[in-house]
Amino acid sequence: SQQGEEDPQALSIQEGENATMNCSYKTSINNLQWYRQNSGRGLVHLILIRSNEREKHSGRLRVTLDTSKKSSSLLITASRAADTASYFCATGSNFGNEKLTFGTGTRLTIIP
Amino acid sequence: DAGVIQSPRHEVTEMGQEVTLRCKPISGHNSLFWYRQTMMRGLELLIYFNNNVPIDDSGMPEDRFSAKMPNASFSTLKIQPSEPRDSAVYFCASIQTGFVNTIYFGEGSWLTVV
C-alpha cells in the first residue's frame, strides 16, 4: 500500500506561476524526500527534509514538513516548461532509512 | 559514475515466456531495490537487498517472480512464466545505507507481455 498520497493528482499552470503539491503520509518518519520523474525516465531526487526540520530550500524548490499533520508540501517557484513531470514524495521510516515508500505522484504540466 | 544501469530498456514478450531483467547498481552502494510502476498501482517496492542479502521481499507479487543478487554489482529480476498483467516499467535503484541518503534510480525496463 502507498504510504504517501500526493495532492492534487494532476496540476496544470502557466509558465512563470508557482506550483504547489502536497503529500500526506500515515506512519512515523525520519525523513521525507521529493523526486521528479520525466516521461519515460527514472526518478530523480530533488530534495530531502528530515523529521526535525520544518522547511528547506533548494534553488526554486521549497519544501515544508509538518509532522503533527503528517504532511509535506513542495513549492516550485517561477515554473518553467522543463518542470513538466510527475512529482513523488517518499518517506523513510524511523526504523531504518534504506526503505523508502513512494506516494502516488502529482502530474505537473507547465503551459508555455 | 555511470549511474544505475538496467537492461533491457524495452522488452516485448509472449505470455508464458521467461523474462529476465538485469541491474548494475552504483559502485559502492550496498542496498539495491526493485520497483514496479503501473498506472493503476503506482510505484511498488518489490524487493530490496542489503549487502547482497534479500531483506524484504513482501512486495513480490507471487511465486512467478524471483530476484537474485549474486554479487555487489549485479542483480536480476526474473518472471517465469510471464503474464499480460506483468506489463509495467521495472525500476532498479541503489543507495549507500548507514545514513540518511537518496535513492538513485535506473532508467527502467519497459516490459510488455502480449
Side-chain angles (χ1 to χ4, degrees):
Chain A
S1 63
Q2 296 288 343
Q3 159 77 313
E5 295 288 336
E6 284 90 340
D7 170 55
Q9 289 189 341
L11 177 64
S12 292
I13 61 173
Q14 294 287 336
E15 191 169 19
E17 294 181 341
N18 295 341
T20 299
M21 290 159 273
N22 303 296
C23 167
S24 60
Y25 58 92
K26 297 174 183 175
T27 61
S28 296
I29 63 170
N30 68 8
N31 73 89
L32 185 144
Q33 305 180 30
W34 285 90
Y35 287 76
R36 182 186 72 217
Q37 183 180 32
N38 288 73
S39 182
R41 307 296 296 274
L43 281 74
V44 175
H45 172 78
L46 293 176
I47 192 166
L48 179 153
I49 186 165
R50 300 172 190 264
S51 59
N52 61 353
E53 298 176 311
R54 291 295 168 258
E55 187 172 313
K56 202 161 184 181
H57 297 254
S58 177
R60 294 184 296 113
L61 305 180
R62 173 177 169 253
V63 169
T64 62
L65 178 63
D66 187 334
T67 53
S68 67
K69 295 181 180 179
K70 290 186 168 58
S71 67
S72 174
S73 68
L74 171 67
L75 168 68
I76 304 174
T77 60
S79 63
R80 305 167 181 170
D83 295 329
T84 294
S86 291
Y87 292 81
F88 295 84
C89 68
T91 54
S93 71
N94 277 334
F95 304 102
N97 54 63
E98 64 273 13
K99 182 178 175 180
L100 292 182
T101 306
F102 285 81
T104 52
T106 292
R107 176 67 189 170
L108 175 65
T109 302
I110 307 300
I111 304 166
Chain B
D1 200 310
V4 177
I5 299 173
Q6 291 187 247
S7 65
R9 285 296 316 277
H10 299 272
E11 173 135 354
V12 180
T13 190
E14 291 186 346
M15 182 174 62
Q17 295 296 308
E18 178 180 293
V19 174
T20 299
L21 308 178
R22 300 172 182 80
C23 176
K24 181 181 187 310
I26 292 174
S27 177
H29 284 190
N30 60 350
S31 284
L32 181 142
F33 306 80
W34 283 100
Y35 285 88
R36 177 173 69 177
Q37 187 177 39
T38 62
M39 289 293 293
M40 292 297 294
R41 300 174 67 89
L43 198 64
E44 303 172 278
L45 176 63
L46 301 178
I47 186 172
Y48 85 90
F49 295 85
N50 183 257
N51 293 323
N52 312 338
V53 175
I55 301 300
D56 184 350
D57 65 354
S58 60
M60 295 287 263
E62 49 198 275
D63 291 345
R64 297 184 298 106
F65 286 70
S66 63
K68 294 182 179 179
M69 191 165 186
N71 57 62
S73 59
F74 183 66
S75 177
T76 59
L77 178 67
K78 186 174 293 186
I79 309 172
Q80 168 63 21
S82 58
E83 297 181 3
R85 60 194 169 114
D86 301 330
S87 297
V89 185
Y90 291 82
F91 287 103
C92 177
S94 69
I95 192 172
Q96 174 61 53
T97 58
F99 48 93
V100 177
N101 211 331
T102 64
I103 284 184
Y104 292 84
F105 280 79
E107 295 287 47
S109 291
W110 296 68
L111 175 65
T112 302
V113 183
V114 298

